[in-house]
Amino acid sequence: MLLGMIVLGIDPGLANLGLGLVDGDVRRARHLYHVCLTTESAWIMPRRLQYIHEEVSRLLAEYQPDAVAIEDQILRKQADVAFKVGQAFGVVQLACAQAGVPIHAYGPMQVKKALVGAGRAEKEQVIYMVKATLGVRELFNNHAADALALALTHLAHAPMQARAAALVT
């Protein structure tokens, strides 16, 4: 039985891409699924991007989320890394557009503020809040934890975004 809105959180990356699905609202949320997709550095770039696209598309078709929450900060210090992550980011956006699922972007400080209450919180505090909020006891990959944190952030922001959209129309 679904609690409310289904949100797919995505922590974009080329080598490691975190995916986390939650169901619920700002008052309560339930963990549905999480995974960290890993592409091999030996794979040619088109194969890596194809794999990411296929897996994201599969999850979108299987869970039919109402929204996607993605981290919008792409590394800017290393141009080659930023370019590769940007390609993965683009493939994810394409999969979402093909599925007709709206994308909402959140920066790291927004996620920390939504989950911990402070924009400069430590990563361990965010992971703790993800586990506590969702009742997930198992240890899991940091990329998957970030994806779940993004999904929870959207659940917190969605009511305000809906009210703002209603005022515009």
Side-chain angles (χ1 to χ4, degrees):
M1 182 171 118
L2 297 177
L3 299 174
M5 175 183 279
I6 297 175
V7 180
L8 171 60
I10 301 177
D11 179 33
L14 181 62
N16 297 292
L17 185 133
L19 298 167
L21 278 147
V22 298
D23 167 37
D25 59 31
V26 71
R27 289 172 275 116
R28 65 180 185 178
R30 182 177 59 155
H31 171 264
L32 296 177
Y33 178 79
H34 70 269
V35 69
C36 178
L37 298 181
T38 302
T39 65
E40 301 296 328
S41 59
W43 293 356
I44 61 172
M45 183 60 76
R47 172 66 187 115
R48 294 174 90 176
L49 296 174
Q50 178 187 18
Y51 175 72
I52 290 169
H53 183 269
E54 288 172 351
E55 289 302 307
V56 171
S57 295
R58 182 184 62 75
L59 276 180
L60 291 168
E62 183 177 342
Y63 287 93
Q64 299 180 352
D66 300 295
V68 168
I70 191 165
E71 186 171 349
D72 70 350
Q73 183 175 338
I74 295 177
L75 303 172
R76 292 181 181 91
K77 293 180 182 176
Q78 298 172 301
D80 61 327
V81 174
F83 182 71
K84 290 175 182 175
V85 172
Q87 289 181 68
F89 190 87
V91 168
V92 166
Q93 288 185 7
L94 173 62
C96 293
Q98 289 172 330
V101 181
I103 300 171
H104 303 271
Y106 299 99
M109 289 182 73
Q110 285 178 288
V111 173
K112 292 174 181 180
K113 185 146 179 79
L115 267 68
V116 181
R120 302 236 183 254
E122 297 293 323
K123 186 171 229 29
E124 293 77 24
Q125 292 174 292
V126 173
I127 292 172
Y128 175 83
M129 289 306 295
V130 167
K131 288 181 174 183
T133 302
L134 297 174
V136 177
R137 302 285 178 241
E138 68 198 66
L139 295 174
F140 49 83
N141 181 285
N142 284 347
H143 299 286
D146 288 347
L148 289 168
L150 284 155
L152 290 170
T153 298
H154 184 69
L155 287 182
H157 282 84
M160 182 177 61
Q161 290 173 353
R163 286 192 298 275
L167 291 174
V168 174
T169 56

